[in-house]
C-alpha cells in the first residue's frame, strides 16, 4: 500500500506533468525512487513523463523539458529497455507501462525495439529484423513484442545517484598535470551533474601512473589522505573510473563521498529504502 507521503509526491508529479512542467514533475518522482526504487506506480508515471517530456515537440518551456542530464539519471535505469545485442548501448522507454494492461491489439508504430517471447532477448530496431508489420526476432523469426516490460538500462553516462548527501567529489587524472577547470566542468556536467544539486566539496588532482585497477586504489588512498573519516562507516565511498574520448584521452577516476545516512525518508515508514 502506498503511503500518504508517497501518494502526495505522486499526485504532485501528476499535476506538474499535466501542466507540462516535466522537469519539476521528475524531481518529485526521483524523491520517490530514492526511497522506493521498485514502486510500480512510480515507474508507470515515470514512463509517461519521459515519453512526454523528452519529445522535441513538447509544449514545455525550455527549462521544464527533459534533457540528457535528467534522462541519464541512474535512478531511472529500471524504466528503460536496453538492447542485449553485444556491444550495443541503445536504450528506450517501452510503451509497456503506458498501455497499463490494455495491450491486446495495440499497435506500436515505428517501434524502437522489442522483446522475443520465445528467445527472451530484447533488441533495438537496428539489431532486430525489420518486417512489414514491425520487428521480428533474427534468431527464430517470431514477431517481437513492441511493448515489453523494461529489462533495465545497463549503461548510463552518469555516475550512480544515492539517497545520501554528496559531501565531496575527488577527481584524479592520470599524468603529470592536474585537471584544468574546463576539464572539471565538462566532467561534472556529463558524468556527475548531481554536484550542481547540492554544494559538495570538489577536488581535482593528478597521479603519474594508475595501477592495474584503473586508478581505484589511488582514489581510495587519496580520499583517505584528505579525510581519514571517509574510510569509516560514517561515509559511503564510491569509485568510478573512466577515460576521455579519443585515442589519447586521459584516464580519470572519480571518488564520490556520501554521508552514510538517508537523505529522504518516508515519515510513515522510516526504515523503508534500498
Amino acid at each position: 500500500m502506498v503511503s500518504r507521503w508517497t501518494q502526495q509526491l505522486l499526485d504532485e508529479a501528476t499535476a506538474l506533468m499535466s501542466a507540462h512542467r516535466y522537469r519539476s514533475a521528475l524531481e518529485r518522482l526521483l524523491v520517490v525512487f530514492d526511497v522506493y526504487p521498485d514502486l510500480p506506480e512510480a515507474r508507470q508515471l515515470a514512463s509517461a513523463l519521459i515519453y512526454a517530456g523528452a519529445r522535441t515537440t513538447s509544449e514545455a518551456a525550455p527549462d521544464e523539458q527533459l534533457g540528457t542530464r535528467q534522462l541519464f539519471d541512474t535512478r531511472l535505469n529500471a524504466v528503460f529497455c536496453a538492447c542485449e545485442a553485444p556491444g550495443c548501448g541503445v536504450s528506450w522507454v517501452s510503451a509497456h507501462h503506458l498501455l497499463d494492461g490494455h495491450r491486446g491489439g495495440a499497435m506500436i508504430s515505428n517501434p524502437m525495439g522489442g522483446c522475443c517471447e520465445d528467445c527472451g532477448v530484447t533488441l533495438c530496431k537496428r539489431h532486430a529484423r525489420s518486417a512489414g508489420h514491425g520487428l521480428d526476432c533474427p534468431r527464430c523469426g517470431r514477431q517481437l513484442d513492441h511493448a515489453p516490460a523494461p529489462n533495465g538500462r545497463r549503461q548510463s553516462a552518469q555516475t550512480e545517484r544515492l539517497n545520501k548527501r554528496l559531501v565531496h567529489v575527488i577527481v584524479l587524472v592520470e599524468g603529470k598535470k592536474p585537471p584544468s577547470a574546463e576539464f572539471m566542468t565538462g566532467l561534472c556536467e556529463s558524468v556527475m551533474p548531481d554536484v550542481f544539486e547540492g554544494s559538495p566539496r570538489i577536488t581535482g588532482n593528478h597521479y603519474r601512473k594508475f595501477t592495474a585497477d584503473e586508478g581505484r586504489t589511488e582514489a581510495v588512498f587519496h580520499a583517505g589522505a584528505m579525510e581519514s573519516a571517509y574510510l569509516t562507516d560514517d561515509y559511503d565511498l564510491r569509485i568510478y573510473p573512466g577515460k576521455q574520448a579519443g585515442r589519447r584521452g586521459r584516464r580519470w577516476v572519480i571518488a564520490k563521498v556520501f554521508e552514510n545516512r538517508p537523505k529522504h525518508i518516508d515519515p510513515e515508514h522510516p526504515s523503508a529504502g534500498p
Side-chain angles (χ1 to χ4, degrees), residues 107-251:
M107 296 294 293
I108 308 296
S109 61
N110 192 25
M112 292 291 295
C115 178
C116 178
E117 295 180 355
D118 281 353
C119 300
V121 63
T122 299
L123 298 169
C124 68
K125 62 182 179 182
R126 177 169 169 259
H127 289 101
R129 189 170 67 194
S130 181
H133 52 268
L135 301 172
D136 287 348
C137 177
R139 300 181 183 180
C140 68
R142 176 171 177 162
Q143 182 178 1
L144 298 183
D145 177 0
H146 297 150
N151 62 338
R153 182 168 55 192
R154 295 174 296 171
Q155 301 177 23
S156 177
Q158 296 180 15
T159 55
E160 188 178 12
R161 308 283 191 107
L162 301 181
N163 184 25
K164 301 175 181 181
R165 189 172 74 89
L166 181 62
V167 296
H168 198 167
V169 173
I170 302 165
V171 177
L172 287 182
V173 296
E174 187 178 47
K176 300 178 181 179
K177 297 180 180 180
S180 65
E182 181 182 10
F183 175 89
M184 292 289 288
T185 300
L187 195 65
C188 289
E189 290 178 343
S190 61
V191 177
M192 46 180 179
D194 45 333
V195 301
F196 301 112
E197 299 169 8
S199 54
R201 181 182 174 191
I202 302 176
T203 305
N205 213 327
H206 64 105
Y207 201 89
R208 186 176 180 87
K209 186 68 175 177
F210 288 166
T211 54
D213 64 353
E214 301 178 297
R216 289 179 172 87
T217 298
E218 288 79 10
V220 172
F221 176 81
H222 204 78
M226 298 193 73
E227 183 62 64
S228 59
Y230 288 165
L231 305 183
T232 69
D233 291 340
D234 291 334
Y235 293 90
D236 188 349
L237 178 64
R238 301 295 178 102
I239 308 298
Y240 307 95
K243 183 179 180 295
Q244 275 183 301
R247 187 169 61 88
R248 296 187 178 182
R250 300 177 75 182
R251 293 199 296 173

Side-chain angles (χ1 to χ4, degrees), residues 1-2 9 21 57 62 89 102 140-142 145 208 215 218 241:
M1 183 176 179
V2 176
L9 287 168
R21 295 180 59 190
T57 56
H102 304 289
C140 68
R142 176 171 177 162
D145 177 0
R208 186 176 180 87
E218 288 79 10

Side-chain angles (χ1 to χ4, degrees), residues 44-67:
Q44 181 175 345
L45 185 54
S47 295
L49 178 60
I50 293 170
Y51 181 80
R55 300 172 69 182
T56 56
T57 56
S58 168
E59 298 178 30
D63 61 347
E64 285 288 353
Q65 293 178 3
L66 301 181

Side-chain angles (χ1 to χ4, degrees), residues 69-131:
R69 181 182 294 187
Q70 291 76 39
L71 296 175
F72 281 107
D73 191 309
T74 57
R75 291 170 289 185
L76 297 175
N77 283 353
V79 178
F80 284 80
C81 289
C83 182
E84 295 174 339
C88 185
V90 172
S91 60
W92 67 96
V93 173
S94 168
H96 178 82
H97 290 306
L98 303 179
L99 296 175
D100 192 21
H102 304 289
R103 301 172 61 201
M107 296 294 293
I108 308 296
S109 61
N110 192 25
M112 292 291 295
C115 178
C116 178
E117 295 180 355
D118 281 353
C119 300
V121 63
T122 299
L123 298 169
C124 68
K125 62 182 179 182
R126 177 169 169 259
H127 289 101
R129 189 170 67 194
S130 181

